[in-house]
Amino acid sequence: MLPRENTHVVSIGNVKIGGNNPVAIQSMCNTKTEDIKGTVEQILRLEKAGCQIIRCTVPTNEAAKALKEIKKEIHIPLVADIHFDYKMAIAAMENGADKIRINPGNIGSIEKIKAVVDCAKERNIPIRVGVNSGSLEKDLIAKYGGHVTAEGIVESALDKVKLIEDMGYDNLVISIKSSDVLMCAKAHELIADKTNHPLHVGITESGTVWSGNIKSSIGLGMILGQGIGNTIRVSLSADPVEEIKSAKLILRTLGLRTGGIEVVSCPTCGRTNIDLISLANEVQTLVEEYDHKNLKVAVMGCVVNGPGEAKEADIGIAGGKGEGLLIKKGEIIRKVPEGELLSTLKEEIAKM
Ligand code: SF4
């Protein structure tokens, strides 16, 4: 298998992916792209959360024109998502899209695909070739036993990549998606052996915050853990900011990202005498504003095991009866009344 570092470097606006570049985090707006104000507002929130590349759907000419105005207000590259209409792909590029995402299988004739490729070539705009298991060609379903398979998804993607390469363009990123986690992981293992183009990785239609996070963590863990994948998206039926929070934690957990505060908290037990569950949730929300710090914070339920279990954390709190302990690297610093634990922790984190 080719390691991630062997992939071509592709520039999406001011963000480079592939090669030695870190895995970049993407999301997609769920606003109407024609709504410039609403879309800009959402992108700025996503930027603040740590989104590095944003995708917007471009179903109309008005949406394509909106890209130009949206780009003036934002600071991260904008990818135009095109379905079916090749004219929208061209209009999006003419209006400043930093990348386009197409499924050549949905675009139609070779002439239409070539028109899109020629426009991208002229401007050196990368094309993401996207294939979803849901739209796999019938002949590839038949070829691999009458159902959707990882092999079929990979063959479909590589056929489309070759089609574009044969038109003389190789500024490409590939995405192959399935909501079946194991099939998706297998497809990525197969395709990583066969191409040097960067891969955008994600488990599609993975569900709500709860199920989507579980499926995405397992799938992305399996894929990224093998050194595959150059950009990621955690697809959730939720505010897209949730996708960024999850993507950051997945990358941090796999050691592919530094920065940000990791919260460890105990599961609570019969020894817990404070409202630790609420406190842990409040700490989790609190640390989101400290993306520039690289810390581990422990929130433990009792003073019996808390200080010991918090040893690996940079800072922590451990609950007692109506009060708690402030702990730094396993050393107890002082007692703090329960009502002041959160504010004390905040002050300490700000100083670190
Ligand atoms: S830290 Fe204390 S309260 Fe939390 S699970 Fe361990 S023993 Fe129980």
Side-chain angles (χ1 to χ4, degrees):
M1 185 168 58
L2 295 166
R4 182 186 296 119
E5 293 75 19
N6 282 13
T7 52
H8 299 309
V9 174
V10 167
S11 297
I12 305 161
N14 58 4
V15 172
K16 285 189 192 318
I17 62 161
N20 284 323
N21 294 293
V23 177
I25 297 172
Q26 299 200 24
S27 186
M28 183 165 182
C29 285
N30 58 10
T31 52
K32 301 283 178 214
T33 309
E34 294 86 347
D35 171 11
I36 296 170
K37 187 169 174 281
T39 302
V40 166
E41 272 170 18
Q42 187 169 70
I43 296 173
L44 294 179
R45 277 201 309 122
L46 286 160
E47 282 183 13
K48 194 167 171 239
C51 181
Q52 293 164 292
I53 300 168
I54 186 69
R55 183 159 50 117
C56 292
T57 183
V58 180
T60 61
N61 257 321
E62 200 189 344
K65 285 188 190 131
L67 296 183
K68 193 178 245 171
E69 300 310 312
I70 293 166
K71 277 207 58 163
K72 287 178 191 164
E73 308 288 330
I74 65 169
H75 315 89
I76 55 174
L78 184 60
V79 181
D81 192 86
I82 311 297
H83 278 267
F84 309 113
D85 191 347
Y86 79 107
K87 287 188 200 135
M88 292 304 116
I90 293 170
M93 288 188 273
E94 286 171 348
N95 282 285
D98 295 298
K99 184 171 93 170
I100 55 161
R101 186 265 185 193
I102 57 166
N103 177 349
N106 290 341
I107 295 286
S109 68
I110 294 290
E111 290 71 31
K112 287 176 182 170
I113 297 169
K114 186 158 186 323
V116 173
V117 171
D118 285 347
C119 182
K121 205 193 291 182
E122 215 173 278
R123 294 168 169 79
N124 201 25
I125 294 171
I127 298 175
R128 176 175 136 199
V129 180
V131 174
N132 277 12
S133 59
S135 56
L136 192 62
E137 294 88 339
K138 287 194 183 84
D139 58 329
L140 288 174
I141 292 175
K143 181 175 172 183
Y144 292 101
H147 49 90
V148 175
T149 56
E151 288 81 0
I153 298 170
V154 169
E155 189 169 327
S156 173
L158 292 177
D159 283 351
K160 293 174 177 75
V161 166
K162 184 164 184 318
L163 181 76
I164 297 176
E165 285 175 339
D166 288 347
M167 291 175 180
Y169 198 53
D170 69 350
N171 192 7
L172 305 175
V173 177
I174 304 174
S175 69
I176 47 174
K177 293 208 181 155
S178 168
S179 57
D180 180 316
V181 176
L182 299 183
M183 188 193 295
C184 195
K186 187 176 174 196
H188 282 89
E189 284 168 30
L190 293 174
I191 204 165
D193 265 339
K194 297 185 165 93
T195 183
N196 288 80
H197 294 300
L199 297 173
H200 170 70
V201 182
I203 307 298
T204 195
E205 291 133 22
S206 61
T208 59
V209 170
W210 176 74
S211 67
N213 272 329
I214 294 172
K215 288 201 229 169
S216 294
S217 302
I218 293 172
L220 288 170
M222 290 171 78
I223 297 164
L224 295 168
Q226 297 183 69
I228 302 167
N230 306 90
T231 68
I232 61 166
R233 178 185 179 198
V234 176
S235 293
L236 299 174
S237 305
D239 181 339
V241 167
E242 294 298 323
E243 301 187 350
I244 305 303
K245 283 156 59 176
S246 303
K248 287 196 296 192
L249 186 55
I250 289 171
L251 292 180
R252 189 183 157 102
T253 305
L254 292 166
L256 295 168
R257 181 178 197 272
T258 51
I261 296 181
E262 182 182 347
V263 177
V264 292
S265 59
C266 82
T268 72
C269 73
R271 288 197 184 100
T272 320
N273 285 314
I274 59 166
D275 181 6
L276 186 95
I277 295 174
S278 300
L279 192 57
N281 280 305
E282 283 168 338
V283 171
Q284 186 67 63
T285 305
L286 161 79
V287 301
E288 276 161 27
E289 65 186 86
Y290 295 105
D291 217 17
H292 51 291
K293 296 185 187 271
N294 188 15
L295 297 173
K296 197 181 237 190
V297 174
V299 184
M300 312 304 284
C302 75
V303 293
V304 179
N305 289 332
E309 289 178 31
K311 239 181 207 150
E312 284 168 31
D314 299 289
I315 186 143
I317 47 180
K321 226 178 190 157
E323 62 182 13
L325 299 175
L326 181 69
I327 305 155
K328 269 190 185 169
K329 302 258 185 210
E331 297 280 313
I332 296 170
I333 304 297
R334 64 176 190 273
K335 283 186 181 173
V336 179
E338 181 177 348
E340 292 171 25
L341 276 170
L342 189 68
S343 57
T344 305
L345 188 65
K346 186 174 179 172
E347 280 165 29
E348 293 294 329
I349 290 172
K351 279 192 242 162
M352 292 174 90

